[in-house]
Amino acid sequence: KGAEKRDQGRASGMSADAGGTLPDHRPNRSLILAQSLSAVLERSLTEEEAERFQRYLELLLRWNRTRRLTAYRRPEEIILHLFCDSLLFLRVIPSTARKLLDFGTGAGIPGIPLKIIVPRMDLALVEARRNRGSFLAEVLRELDLMDVSLFTSRAEQILLDNPETLESFDVVLARGAGPLSAVIPVSLRFLRPGGLVIMTGPPVQKQPPEIPGDLRAHWRTLPSPLRPDPRRFLVVQKGD
């Protein structure tokens, strides 16, 4: 019902300039990819991880020529602003989390980079726009990513059509998916009691939006190895 699932098969430093972009002298693209992601992870990529990220980057660049999946066009921008930014979520996601839902995933951000690095996670991607859903389906096939569900309808409809998704996830992720007032209420419906909604917030130079008083929530600010400014996340815990 609006979902595709693949659940069998194998699972498995570079500094930025002041503007938050990678150097433009363009050494080997694979080297930029490996060095940048390793800086965020604080370890080297495995061969399988590097191959999957490289293939993901190639698919994103190709599809982005004819479909506007992201405003970033250059490989270096995608690596920094999408892939590396996605991996910062690992510093907020509890190590015990197994079932994650990526709300408004777009081109698969942050869910697919996280799945590449943590293949044991059971991931659901939610994206209402069909053209992006087609792209995501190809990425899942090409990267051979297992235990990933793809939902190509609105979140409210998913809950109606797939009641097993209600209160079944440990964490809901949202990166630029919309205002707090729209994202948080429906995200909480996917969460088990005690689960977390983790959302990216505005730049640290801006005042964060006010958190409704009835939520168990707080802001977290984390340094980003490749960008001059830290990254802000909102963490909301669902009541028991």
Side-chain angles (χ1 to χ4, degrees), residues 65-124:
R65 295 190 192 108
T66 56
R67 297 173 175 86
R68 188 177 173 83
L69 299 176
T70 172
Y72 300 116
R73 298 290 177 175
R74 296 171 54 212
E76 295 85 356
E77 294 175 323
I78 291 172
I79 292 168
L80 176 68
H81 295 289
L82 299 185
F83 293 178
C84 291
D85 197 58
S86 295
L87 297 185
L88 287 177
F89 277 86
L90 290 171
R91 304 185 182 188
V92 190
I93 298 170
S95 60
T96 55
R98 292 294 181 272
K99 287 192 68 176
L100 290 86
L101 182 143
D102 185 356
F103 184 103
T105 185
I109 303 298
I112 289 177
L114 294 173
K115 178 67 176 178
I116 292 172
I117 296 300
V118 190
R120 61 174 172 74
M121 73 168 56
D122 190 335
L123 177 66

Short mmCIF file of all heavy atoms in Angstrom, two decimals, residues 65-124:
data_model
loop_
_atom_site.label_atom_id
_atom_site.label_comp_id
_atom_site.label_asym_id
_atom_site.label_seq_id
_atom_site.Cartn_x
_atom_site.Cartn_y
_atom_site.Cartn_z
N ARG A 65 20.04 16.40 -13.59
CA ARG A 65 20.13 17.16 -14.84
C ARG A 65 18.75 17.42 -15.45
O ARG A 65 18.54 18.42 -16.12
CB ARG A 65 21.01 16.42 -15.85
CG ARG A 65 22.46 16.28 -15.44
CD ARG A 65 23.31 15.74 -16.59
NE ARG A 65 24.63 15.36 -16.12
CZ ARG A 65 25.04 14.09 -16.01
NH1 ARG A 65 24.23 13.11 -16.36
NH2 ARG A 65 26.24 13.82 -15.58
N THR A 66 17.84 16.50 -15.24
CA THR A 66 16.51 16.62 -15.85
C THR A 66 15.39 16.79 -14.84
O THR A 66 14.30 17.22 -15.19
CB THR A 66 16.21 15.39 -16.71
OG1 THR A 66 16.33 14.20 -15.92
CG2 THR A 66 17.18 15.31 -17.89
N ARG A 67 15.65 16.46 -13.58
CA ARG A 67 14.65 16.62 -12.51
C ARG A 67 15.32 17.37 -11.37
O ARG A 67 16.40 17.01 -10.94
CB ARG A 67 14.15 15.27 -12.01
CG ARG A 67 13.43 14.44 -13.06
CD ARG A 67 13.14 13.06 -12.50
NE ARG A 67 12.35 12.24 -13.40
CZ ARG A 67 12.86 11.49 -14.37
NH1 ARG A 67 14.18 11.48 -14.57
NH2 ARG A 67 12.09 10.75 -15.13
N ARG A 68 14.65 18.35 -10.84
CA ARG A 68 15.25 19.16 -9.78
C ARG A 68 15.13 18.44 -8.44
O ARG A 68 14.22 18.68 -7.65
CB ARG A 68 14.59 20.54 -9.72
CG ARG A 68 15.29 21.50 -8.77
CD ARG A 68 14.63 22.87 -8.80
NE ARG A 68 15.17 23.75 -7.79
CZ ARG A 68 16.28 24.46 -7.91
NH1 ARG A 68 16.97 24.39 -9.03
NH2 ARG A 68 16.70 25.25 -6.95
N LEU A 69 16.05 17.54 -8.19
CA LEU A 69 16.07 16.82 -6.92
C LEU A 69 16.71 17.65 -5.82
O LEU A 69 16.35 17.53 -4.65
CB LEU A 69 16.83 15.50 -7.08
CG LEU A 69 16.27 14.50 -8.10
CD1 LEU A 69 17.20 13.31 -8.22
CD2 LEU A 69 14.86 14.08 -7.72
N THR A 70 17.66 18.48 -6.19
CA THR A 70 18.35 19.35 -5.23
C THR A 70 18.88 20.57 -5.96
O THR A 70 19.14 20.52 -7.17
CB THR A 70 19.52 18.60 -4.55
OG1 THR A 70 20.30 19.53 -3.77
CG2 THR A 70 20.44 17.96 -5.57
N ALA A 71 19.02 21.66 -5.22
CA ALA A 71 19.58 22.88 -5.81
C ALA A 71 21.09 22.77 -6.00
O ALA A 71 21.67 23.56 -6.75
CB ALA A 71 19.27 24.08 -4.92
N TYR A 72 21.72 21.81 -5.36
CA TYR A 72 23.16 21.64 -5.49
C TYR A 72 23.47 20.89 -6.77
O TYR A 72 22.93 19.81 -7.03
CB TYR A 72 23.74 20.89 -4.28
CG TYR A 72 23.49 21.61 -2.97
CD1 TYR A 72 22.70 21.04 -1.97
CD2 TYR A 72 24.05 22.87 -2.75
CE1 TYR A 72 22.47 21.71 -0.79
CE2 TYR A 72 23.82 23.54 -1.56
CZ TYR A 72 23.03 22.96 -0.58
OH TYR A 72 22.79 23.62 0.60
N ARG A 73 24.35 21.42 -7.59
CA ARG A 73 24.65 20.86 -8.90
C ARG A 73 26.05 20.25 -8.97
O ARG A 73 26.27 19.30 -9.72
CB ARG A 73 24.53 21.96 -9.98
CG ARG A 73 23.13 22.54 -10.10
CD ARG A 73 22.18 21.54 -10.70
NE ARG A 73 20.80 22.05 -10.77
CZ ARG A 73 19.81 21.39 -11.34
NH1 ARG A 73 20.02 20.21 -11.89
NH2 ARG A 73 18.59 21.89 -11.36
N ARG A 74 26.99 20.81 -8.25
CA ARG A 74 28.36 20.34 -8.32
C ARG A 74 28.57 19.16 -7.37
O ARG A 74 28.00 19.14 -6.26
CB ARG A 74 29.34 21.45 -7.99
CG ARG A 74 29.32 22.61 -8.97
CD ARG A 74 30.13 23.77 -8.47
NE ARG A 74 31.48 23.36 -8.13
CZ ARG A 74 32.21 23.91 -7.17
NH1 ARG A 74 31.71 24.87 -6.43
NH2 ARG A 74 33.42 23.48 -6.93
N PRO A 75 29.38 18.18 -7.74
CA PRO A 75 29.63 17.03 -6.85
C PRO A 75 30.12 17.45 -5.47
O PRO A 75 29.69 16.89 -4.45
CB PRO A 75 30.71 16.24 -7.59
CG PRO A 75 30.54 16.61 -9.02
CD PRO A 75 30.08 18.04 -9.03
N GLU A 76 31.00 18.45 -5.43
CA GLU A 76 31.55 18.89 -4.15
C GLU A 76 30.47 19.46 -3.24
O GLU A 76 30.51 19.28 -2.02
CB GLU A 76 32.65 19.94 -4.38
CG GLU A 76 33.88 19.40 -5.11
CD GLU A 76 33.72 19.42 -6.62
OE1 GLU A 76 32.62 19.78 -7.11
OE2 GLU A 76 34.69 19.08 -7.32
N GLU A 77 29.50 20.15 -3.82
CA GLU A 77 28.40 20.70 -3.02
C GLU A 77 27.52 19.59 -2.47
O GLU A 77 27.09 19.66 -1.30
CB GLU A 77 27.55 21.64 -3.89
CG GLU A 77 28.25 22.89 -4.35
CD GLU A 77 27.40 23.71 -5.30
OE1 GLU A 77 26.67 23.11 -6.13
OE2 GLU A 77 27.46 24.95 -5.22
N ILE A 78 27.24 18.59 -3.27
CA ILE A 78 26.41 17.48 -2.82
C ILE A 78 27.11 16.73 -1.70
O ILE A 78 26.49 16.36 -0.68
CB ILE A 78 26.08 16.55 -4.00
CG1 ILE A 78 25.15 17.28 -4.98
CG2 ILE A 78 25.46 15.25 -3.52
CD1 ILE A 78 24.91 16.54 -6.29
N ILE A 79 28.39 16.49 -1.85
CA ILE A 79 29.15 15.78 -0.81
C ILE A 79 29.09 16.54 0.51
O ILE A 79 28.81 15.96 1.57
CB ILE A 79 30.60 15.58 -1.26
CG1 ILE A 79 30.66 14.60 -2.44
CG2 ILE A 79 31.46 15.08 -0.11
CD1 ILE A 79 32.01 14.56 -3.14
N LEU A 80 29.34 17.84 0.46
CA LEU A 80 29.39 18.64 1.68
C LEU A 80 28.02 18.88 2.28
O LEU A 80 27.77 18.60 3.46
CB LEU A 80 30.08 19.97 1.41
CG LEU A 80 30.12 20.95 2.60
CD1 LEU A 80 31.04 20.43 3.69
CD2 LEU A 80 30.55 22.34 2.14
N HIS A 81 27.11 19.42 1.47
CA HIS A 81 25.84 19.92 2.00
C HIS A 81 24.79 18.83 2.17
O HIS A 81 23.83 19.03 2.94
CB HIS A 81 25.30 21.02 1.10
CG HIS A 81 26.15 22.24 1.06
ND1 HIS A 81 26.27 23.11 2.13
CD2 HIS A 81 26.97 22.74 0.09
CE1 HIS A 81 27.09 24.09 1.81
NE2 HIS A 81 27.54 23.89 0.58
N LEU A 82 24.92 17.70 1.48
CA LEU A 82 23.93 16.63 1.62
C LEU A 82 24.52 15.42 2.33
O LEU A 82 23.99 15.00 3.37
CB LEU A 82 23.39 16.24 0.24
CG LEU A 82 22.67 17.35 -0.54
CD1 LEU A 82 22.08 16.81 -1.83
CD2 LEU A 82 21.59 18.02 0.30
N PHE A 83 25.59 14.84 1.80
CA PHE A 83 26.12 13.61 2.39
C PHE A 83 26.72 13.86 3.78
O PHE A 83 26.37 13.18 4.74
CB PHE A 83 27.18 13.00 1.48
CG PHE A 83 26.67 12.48 0.17
CD1 PHE A 83 27.54 11.94 -0.77
CD2 PHE A 83 25.32 12.53 -0.16
CE1 PHE A 83 27.07 11.46 -1.99
CE2 PHE A 83 24.84 12.05 -1.37
CZ PHE A 83 25.73 11.52 -2.29
N CYS A 84 27.63 14.81 3.88
CA CYS A 84 28.27 15.08 5.17
C CYS A 84 27.25 15.58 6.20
O CYS A 84 27.29 15.18 7.38
CB CYS A 84 29.40 16.09 5.02
SG CYS A 84 30.82 15.47 4.11
N ASP A 85 26.35 16.43 5.76
CA ASP A 85 25.34 16.95 6.68
C ASP A 85 24.45 15.83 7.20
O ASP A 85 24.06 15.82 8.37
CB ASP A 85 24.49 18.00 5.96
CG ASP A 85 23.72 18.88 6.91
OD1 ASP A 85 24.34 19.53 7.78
OD2 ASP A 85 22.47 18.92 6.81
N SER A 86 24.14 14.85 6.35
CA SER A 86 23.33 13.72 6.78
C SER A 86 24.02 12.93 7.89
O SER A 86 23.38 12.50 8.86
CB SER A 86 23.06 12.78 5.60
OG SER A 86 22.27 13.40 4.61
N LEU A 87 25.32 12.75 7.76
CA LEU A 87 26.04 11.92 8.73
C LEU A 87 26.14 12.57 10.09
O LEU A 87 26.40 11.89 11.09
CB LEU A 87 27.42 11.56 8.19
CG LEU A 87 27.43 10.71 6.91
CD1 LEU A 87 28.85 10.32 6.55
CD2 LEU A 87 26.56 9.47 7.06
N LEU A 88 25.93 13.89 10.17
CA LEU A 88 25.93 14.54 11.48
C LEU A 88 24.78 14.04 12.36
O LEU A 88 24.86 14.10 13.59
CB LEU A 88 25.83 16.06 11.33
CG LEU A 88 27.09 16.78 10.83
CD1 LEU A 88 26.80 18.26 10.65
CD2 LEU A 88 28.25 16.58 11.79
N PHE A 89 23.71 13.52 11.74
CA PHE A 89 22.61 12.96 12.52
C PHE A 89 23.08 11.81 13.41
O PHE A 89 22.48 11.54 14.45
CB PHE A 89 21.50 12.45 11.59
CG PHE A 89 20.54 13.50 11.11
CD1 PHE A 89 20.81 14.25 9.98
CD2 PHE A 89 19.34 13.71 11.78
CE1 PHE A 89 19.91 15.20 9.52
CE2 PHE A 89 18.43 14.67 11.33
CZ PHE A 89 18.72 15.41 10.20
N LEU A 90 24.15 11.12 13.00
CA LEU A 90 24.65 10.00 13.80
C LEU A 90 25.08 10.44 15.19
O LEU A 90 25.11 9.62 16.11
CB LEU A 90 25.83 9.33 13.08
CG LEU A 90 25.48 8.56 11.81
CD1 LEU A 90 26.75 8.13 11.09
CD2 LEU A 90 24.62 7.35 12.14
N ARG A 91 25.40 11.71 15.35
CA ARG A 91 25.83 12.21 16.65
C ARG A 91 24.66 12.50 17.58
O ARG A 91 24.85 12.81 18.75
CB ARG A 91 26.69 13.46 16.47
CG ARG A 91 27.89 13.20 15.56
CD ARG A 91 28.81 14.39 15.45
NE ARG A 91 29.91 14.11 14.52
CZ ARG A 91 30.96 14.90 14.35
NH1 ARG A 91 31.05 16.03 15.02
NH2 ARG A 91 31.92 14.57 13.49
N VAL A 92 23.45 12.41 17.04
CA VAL A 92 22.24 12.69 17.81
C VAL A 92 21.37 11.44 17.97
O VAL A 92 20.69 11.27 18.98
CB VAL A 92 21.42 13.82 17.16
CG1 VAL A 92 20.30 14.29 18.08
CG2 VAL A 92 22.30 15.01 16.78
N ILE A 93 21.39 10.56 16.99
CA ILE A 93 20.58 9.35 17.02
C ILE A 93 21.11 8.41 18.10
O ILE A 93 22.31 8.11 18.13
CB ILE A 93 20.60 8.63 15.66
CG1 ILE A 93 19.99 9.52 14.57
CG2 ILE A 93 19.86 7.30 15.72
CD1 ILE A 93 20.19 8.98 13.17
N PRO A 94 20.25 7.90 18.98
CA PRO A 94 20.73 6.95 20.00
C PRO A 94 21.30 5.68 19.36
O PRO A 94 20.79 5.20 18.34
CB PRO A 94 19.45 6.62 20.80
CG PRO A 94 18.52 7.76 20.53
CD PRO A 94 18.82 8.24 19.14
N SER A 95 22.34 5.15 19.95
CA SER A 95 22.97 3.96 19.39
C SER A 95 22.06 2.74 19.44
O SER A 95 22.27 1.77 18.69
CB SER A 95 24.27 3.66 20.15
OG SER A 95 24.00 3.43 21.54
N THR A 96 21.04 2.78 20.29
CA THR A 96 20.12 1.65 20.41
C THR A 96 18.99 1.68 19.37
O THR A 96 18.23 0.72 19.26
CB THR A 96 19.50 1.63 21.81
OG1 THR A 96 18.89 2.90 22.07
CG2 THR A 96 20.56 1.36 22.88
N ALA A 97 18.86 2.77 18.63
CA ALA A 97 17.76 2.90 17.67
C ALA A 97 17.94 1.91 16.53
O ALA A 97 19.03 1.78 15.97
CB ALA A 97 17.70 4.32 17.13
N ARG A 98 16.86 1.22 16.17
CA ARG A 98 16.89 0.24 15.08
C ARG A 98 15.95 0.61 13.93
O ARG A 98 16.27 0.41 12.78
CB ARG A 98 16.52 -1.15 15.61
CG ARG A 98 17.56 -1.76 16.55
CD ARG A 98 18.86 -2.05 15.84
NE ARG A 98 19.85 -2.66 16.72
CZ ARG A 98 20.72 -1.98 17.46
NH1 ARG A 98 20.70 -0.65 17.43
NH2 ARG A 98 21.59 -2.60 18.22
N LYS A 99 14.77 1.14 14.27
CA LYS A 99 13.78 1.47 13.24
C LYS A 99 13.71 2.98 13.10
O LYS A 99 13.36 3.69 14.05
CB LYS A 99 12.40 0.92 13.60
CG LYS A 99 12.26 -0.58 13.45
CD LYS A 99 10.79 -1.00 13.55
CE LYS A 99 9.99 -0.53 12.36
NZ LYS A 99 8.58 -1.01 12.38
N LEU A 100 14.04 3.49 11.91
CA LEU A 100 14.06 4.92 11.66
C LEU A 100 13.18 5.26 10.46
O LEU A 100 13.11 4.49 9.50
CB LEU A 100 15.48 5.43 11.40
CG LEU A 100 16.42 5.43 12.61
CD1 LEU A 100 17.10 4.09 12.78
CD2 LEU A 100 17.49 6.52 12.45
N LEU A 101 12.53 6.41 10.53
CA LEU A 101 11.72 6.92 9.43
C LEU A 101 12.25 8.28 9.03
O LEU A 101 12.46 9.15 9.88
CB LEU A 101 10.25 7.00 9.85
CG LEU A 101 9.26 7.48 8.77
CD1 LEU A 101 7.94 6.73 8.90
CD2 LEU A 101 9.00 8.98 8.86
N ASP A 102 12.48 8.45 7.73
CA ASP A 102 12.97 9.72 7.18
C ASP A 102 11.77 10.45 6.58
O ASP A 102 11.27 10.07 5.52
CB ASP A 102 14.04 9.44 6.14
CG ASP A 102 14.70 10.71 5.60
OD1 ASP A 102 14.26 11.81 5.97
OD2 ASP A 102 15.64 10.58 4.79
N PHE A 103 11.33 11.51 7.24
CA PHE A 103 10.11 12.25 6.90
C PHE A 103 10.44 13.30 5.84
O PHE A 103 11.25 14.18 6.08
CB PHE A 103 9.57 12.91 8.17
CG PHE A 103 8.26 13.62 8.02
CD1 PHE A 103 7.08 13.05 8.47
CD2 PHE A 103 8.20 14.89 7.45
CE1 PHE A 103 5.87 13.72 8.35
CE2 PHE A 103 7.00 15.56 7.31
CZ PHE A 103 5.83 14.97 7.76
N GLY A 104 9.82 13.22 4.66
CA GLY A 104 10.11 14.17 3.59
C GLY A 104 11.53 14.04 3.09
O GLY A 104 12.27 15.02 2.99
N THR A 105 11.93 12.82 2.72
CA THR A 105 13.33 12.50 2.44
C THR A 105 13.86 13.17 1.18
O THR A 105 15.07 13.32 1.02
CB THR A 105 13.51 10.98 2.36
OG1 THR A 105 14.89 10.67 2.22
CG2 THR A 105 12.72 10.38 1.20
N GLY A 106 12.99 13.57 0.24
CA GLY A 106 13.48 14.22 -0.98
C GLY A 106 14.32 13.28 -1.81
O GLY A 106 13.86 12.27 -2.32
N ALA A 107 15.61 13.59 -1.94
CA ALA A 107 16.54 12.77 -2.71
C ALA A 107 17.18 11.68 -1.86
O ALA A 107 18.19 11.11 -2.24
CB ALA A 107 17.62 13.65 -3.32
N GLY A 108 16.57 11.40 -0.68
CA GLY A 108 17.10 10.35 0.20
C GLY A 108 17.96 10.87 1.32
O GLY A 108 18.71 10.11 1.94
N ILE A 109 17.82 12.15 1.61
CA ILE A 109 18.62 12.83 2.62
C ILE A 109 17.80 13.09 3.88
O ILE A 109 16.73 13.70 3.78
CB ILE A 109 19.16 14.17 2.07
CG1 ILE A 109 19.97 13.92 0.79
CG2 ILE A 109 20.01 14.90 3.11
CD1 ILE A 109 21.20 13.05 0.95
N PRO A 110 18.22 12.64 5.05
CA PRO A 110 19.50 12.00 5.38
C PRO A 110 19.48 10.47 5.36
O PRO A 110 20.49 9.82 5.65
CB PRO A 110 19.75 12.48 6.81
CG PRO A 110 18.37 12.51 7.42
CD PRO A 110 17.46 12.99 6.29
N GLY A 111 18.33 9.85 5.05
CA GLY A 111 18.17 8.43 5.29
C GLY A 111 19.16 7.54 4.56
O GLY A 111 19.73 6.61 5.16
N ILE A 112 19.38 7.76 3.26
CA ILE A 112 20.24 6.86 2.50
C ILE A 112 21.70 6.93 2.96
O ILE A 112 22.33 5.89 3.17
CB ILE A 112 20.07 7.09 0.99
CG1 ILE A 112 18.70 6.56 0.56
CG2 ILE A 112 21.19 6.40 0.21
CD1 ILE A 112 18.36 6.78 -0.88
N PRO A 113 22.30 8.12 3.14
CA PRO A 113 23.67 8.13 3.69
C PRO A 113 23.77 7.42 5.04
O PRO A 113 24.75 6.71 5.29
CB PRO A 113 23.97 9.63 3.82
CG PRO A 113 23.17 10.26 2.74
CD PRO A 113 21.88 9.48 2.72
N LEU A 114 22.75 7.58 5.89
CA LEU A 114 22.78 6.90 7.19
C LEU A 114 22.70 5.39 7.02
O LEU A 114 23.39 4.63 7.71
CB LEU A 114 21.63 7.40 8.06
CG LEU A 114 21.72 8.86 8.50
CD1 LEU A 114 20.44 9.28 9.21
CD2 LEU A 114 22.92 9.09 9.41
N LYS A 115 21.86 4.92 6.10
CA LYS A 115 21.71 3.49 5.85
C LYS A 115 23.00 2.89 5.32
O LYS A 115 23.36 1.75 5.66
CB LYS A 115 20.56 3.26 4.87
CG LYS A 115 20.34 1.80 4.49
CD LYS A 115 19.85 0.96 5.65
CE LYS A 115 19.55 -0.46 5.19
NZ LYS A 115 19.11 -1.33 6.30
N ILE A 116 23.72 3.61 4.49
CA ILE A 116 24.99 3.12 3.96
C ILE A 116 25.98 2.87 5.10
O ILE A 116 26.70 1.88 5.12
CB ILE A 116 25.58 4.11 2.93
CG1 ILE A 116 24.71 4.15 1.67
CG2 ILE A 116 27.02 3.73 2.56
CD1 ILE A 116 25.11 5.24 0.68
N ILE A 117 25.99 3.78 6.06
CA ILE A 117 26.94 3.68 7.17
C ILE A 117 26.46 2.72 8.25
O ILE A 117 27.27 2.04 8.90
CB ILE A 117 27.19 5.08 7.77
CG1 ILE A 117 27.85 5.99 6.73
CG2 ILE A 117 28.07 5.00 9.03
CD1 ILE A 117 29.20 5.49 6.22
N VAL A 118 25.14 2.64 8.47
CA VAL A 118 24.59 1.76 9.51
C VAL A 118 23.61 0.79 8.83
O VAL A 118 22.40 0.96 8.91
CB VAL A 118 23.88 2.58 10.61
CG1 VAL A 118 23.52 1.67 11.80
CG2 VAL A 118 24.74 3.74 11.08
N PRO A 119 24.12 -0.23 8.16
CA PRO A 119 23.24 -1.10 7.38
C PRO A 119 22.26 -1.92 8.21
O PRO A 119 21.25 -2.39 7.69
CB PRO A 119 24.22 -2.02 6.64
CG PRO A 119 25.49 -1.95 7.41
CD PRO A 119 25.55 -0.58 8.00
N ARG A 120 22.49 -2.06 9.51
CA ARG A 120 21.59 -2.85 10.35
C ARG A 120 20.26 -2.13 10.61
O ARG A 120 19.30 -2.76 11.06
CB ARG A 120 22.26 -3.17 11.69
CG ARG A 120 22.61 -1.93 12.50
CD ARG A 120 23.13 -2.25 13.89
NE ARG A 120 23.65 -1.07 14.57
CZ ARG A 120 22.91 -0.12 15.09
NH1 ARG A 120 21.58 -0.18 14.99
NH2 ARG A 120 23.46 0.91 15.70
N MET A 121 20.19 -0.83 10.36
CA MET A 121 18.95 -0.11 10.65
C MET A 121 17.84 -0.52 9.70
O MET A 121 18.08 -0.85 8.54
CB MET A 121 19.16 1.41 10.61
CG MET A 121 19.32 1.97 9.22
SD MET A 121 19.22 3.79 9.14
CE MET A 121 20.48 4.29 10.28
N ASP A 122 16.62 -0.53 10.21
CA ASP A 122 15.42 -0.74 9.40
C ASP A 122 14.89 0.66 9.09
O ASP A 122 14.47 1.39 9.99
CB ASP A 122 14.41 -1.56 10.20
CG ASP A 122 13.24 -2.03 9.35
OD1 ASP A 122 12.95 -1.38 8.33
OD2 ASP A 122 12.60 -3.02 9.73
N LEU A 123 14.90 1.02 7.82
CA LEU A 123 14.65 2.40 7.41
C LEU A 123 13.38 2.51 6.58
O LEU A 123 13.13 1.68 5.71
CB LEU A 123 15.83 2.92 6.60
CG LEU A 123 15.74 4.33 6.00
CD1 LEU A 123 15.69 5.39 7.10
CD2 LEU A 123 16.90 4.58 5.05
N ALA A 124 12.60 3.54 6.85
CA ALA A 124 11.45 3.90 6.00
C ALA A 124 11.70 5.29 5.44
O ALA A 124 12.03 6.23 6.17
CB ALA A 124 10.16 3.88 6.81
#
